Amino acid sequence: IRAGGNASQQEAGRSGGLDDPQRYQPFLRRWWKWALPFALIGNALFLIGFEARSMWMVSAAIHIGAPLLSFVYAAWVLLYADRLTFFAPIGQMALTNYLAQSLIATTLFYGYGFGLYDQVLPSLMLVLVLLIFAGQMVFSRFWLAQYRFGPMEWLWRSLTYGQWQPLRG
């Protein structure tokens, strides 16, 4: 746990839940199924509330829907990690993909690009997010079939070691 983490993060680290996820499988298997509908309803409230400018809906989504959806994601990762290897390439290029998402999103939404901020409804935003993510999945798989690291991971590694690292190999 990094310094400054909140109490629940520190407790999660001290509990050893991430060291021995099998120990928590019965709990995770039981509760993710109950959390998912409330998480989806909470996040649907966000879309509806944002479009309707209803702050109570947005607040409910942020305080209920988002934490429950985070729990469901974490449970799935801990329970089904062996089935999620399809996503490994995008994780291996996390820095490259993060920076690419930032560049794409700021170009779409900020004034130096298309200036679409506050012009796109969250439902369309979801479609854009899925398209960007799908494109990054394809690119990551293609790139890593030819190279050892993503471009930014290679640069970061080279700067860390103080010499150019082999990119192919």
Side-chain angles (χ1 to χ4, degrees):
I1 302 291
R2 61 182 156 73
N6 68 36
S8 62
Q9 288 173 325
Q10 292 171 357
E11 184 58 35
R14 280 194 294 268
S15 72
L18 301 178
D19 298 332
D20 184 18
Q22 275 64 19
R23 177 176 155 196
Y24 296 96
Q25 281 194 354
F27 170 83
L28 296 172
R29 285 187 199 288
R30 183 177 328 116
W31 286 104
W32 80 258
K33 294 171 188 166
W34 287 97
L36 181 61
F38 293 103
L40 294 175
I41 291 167
N43 283 279
L45 283 177
F46 179 80
L47 291 174
I48 295 165
F50 185 86
E51 291 179 13
R53 307 264 191 246
S54 173
M55 289 313 296
W56 78 265
M57 286 185 181
V58 171
S59 181
I62 290 169
H63 292 93
I64 297 168
L68 287 174
L69 195 56
S70 295
F71 168 76
V72 171
Y73 288 152
W76 286 352
V77 168
L78 291 170
L79 290 169
Y80 308 113
D82 57 328
R83 298 182 198 166
L84 298 173
T85 58
F86 179 76
F87 294 105
I90 205 161
Q92 289 173 290
M93 292 180 48
L95 179 59
T96 297
N97 285 311
Y98 171 75
L99 293 173
Q101 284 175 6
S102 298
L103 181 63
I104 292 166
T106 57
T107 301
L108 287 173
F109 298 108
Y110 285 15
Y112 71 81
F114 296 100
L116 297 176
Y117 181 78
D118 207 22
Q119 305 296 314
V120 178
L121 295 175
S123 49
L124 179 58
M125 189 91 60
L126 178 61
V127 172
L128 285 171
V129 165
L130 293 174
L131 287 172
I132 292 167
F133 187 77
Q136 289 185 304
M137 287 287 296
V138 170
F139 176 76
S140 296
R141 188 167 296 282
F142 169 77
W143 181 273
L144 290 174
Q146 300 173 44
Y147 302 102
R148 293 175 61 192
F149 313 107
M152 297 311 297
E153 289 75 14
W154 168 80
L155 180 61
W156 186 263
R157 186 175 289 249
S158 295
L159 291 172
T160 299
Y161 290 115
Q163 62 184 22
W164 297 118
Q165 299 297 300
L167 187 56
R168 292 191 186 261

